[in-house]
Amino acid sequence: MASIFTRIMAGEIPARMVWNDDACVAFLDVRPLNRGHVLVVPRAEIDHWVDLDPDAVGHLTRVAHRVAAAQQKVLSPGRVGLMIAGFEVPHVHVHVVPMEGMQHLDFAQADPDPDPDDLDELAERLRAELERG
């Protein structure tokens, strides 16, 4: 069965994309740990990141790095955190989270109902920054 991320990449489920290439996509999380939280997801439907080809891991990390630089410019957080947890969806994904403290990596603190207009505006600003970068 296709993961929710595969369905997003197929256009079956809408997402606020900020990055799209042959190997991966990046989009705003609908339950953000903090404002501007982005998921970087490989196109390959693989459950555990250690099963990814090392080149794919490198590509995901490079894209996450670019996303973090864009988040830094757009949102000016104290830090941008990077996390691979893998329990939420059985498809590798990298969390790129603008942070002011460790609480912004706590899934119990995720926002279940972020403002859709804010998500749209953030996606637009991040895409524009990534295109410049």
Side-chain angles (χ1 to χ4, degrees), residues 15-19 26-29 35-38 70-71 74-75 115-131:
R16 291 167 177 91
M17 292 286 176
V18 299
W19 181 272
F27 50 87
L28 286 171
D29 196 314
R35 186 169 181 260
H37 176 182
V38 169
Q71 290 167 321
V74 168
L75 298 167
D115 178 1
D117 292 334
D118 185 52
L119 292 174
D120 290 341
E121 185 252 337
L122 275 173
E124 186 176 318
R125 290 174 63 199
L126 289 169
R127 267 192 310 274
E129 188 59 44
L130 284 161
E131 287 171 7

Side-chain angles (χ1 to χ4, degrees), residues 25-80:
V25 297
F27 50 87
L28 286 171
D29 196 314
V30 296
R31 288 184 43 88
L33 297 177
N34 197 24
R35 186 169 181 260
H37 176 182
V38 169
L39 300 176
V40 180
V41 182
R43 291 189 178 278
E45 204 172 293
I46 295 173
D47 181 19
H48 197 267
W49 75 273
V50 299
D51 295 327
L52 279 174
D53 176 270
D55 291 336
V57 174
H59 182 72
L60 289 179
T61 303
R62 285 187 296 278
V63 171
H65 188 264
R66 289 188 66 180
V67 167
Q71 290 167 321
Q72 198 71 49
K73 285 191 176 188
V74 168
L75 298 167
S76 301
R79 294 273 190 265
V80 177

